[in-house]
Amino acid sequence: MPNPSQCPACGAPNTCTLADPRTAAQPCWCFSVTIDPAVLEALPAELRNQACLCPRCAQVDEQLKLNNAHPAGD
Ligand SMILES: [Zn+2]
């Protein structure tokens, strides 16, 4: 059973808010980005939907930087 708080691809903390009961009510970083389906398909099937990728493996570092530079809220 993979650790839900670790990236299944590299083992780094995935900082998924849903994996931690203390932060589960907060939206995860993954809600604000678009993950390339090819990245998910590259994972072994048994690891998919078990744990979140870390932002780096999900290849969304750039999207997160942009979101931080322009916080949502219109
Ligand atoms: Zn990773």
Side-chain angles (χ1 to χ4, degrees), residues 23-39:
T23 54
Q26 299 171 20
C28 186
W29 57 265
C30 64
F31 294 173
S32 62
V33 298
T34 305
I35 297 176
D36 187 338
V39 172

Side-chain angles (χ1 to χ4, degrees), residues 35-60:
I35 297 176
D36 187 338
V39 172
L40 299 175
E41 284 168 16
L43 283 172
E46 68 267 25
L47 293 181
R48 269 181 243 161
N49 301 317
Q50 297 295 321
C52 287
L53 289 167
C54 70
R56 190 165 55 89
C57 288
Q59 300 178 12
V60 297

Side-chain angles (χ1 to χ4, degrees), residues 14 18 22 33 40 42 47 65 73:
N14 57 27
L18 305 183
R22 290 169 301 177
V33 298
L40 299 175
L47 293 181
K65 273 183 217 155

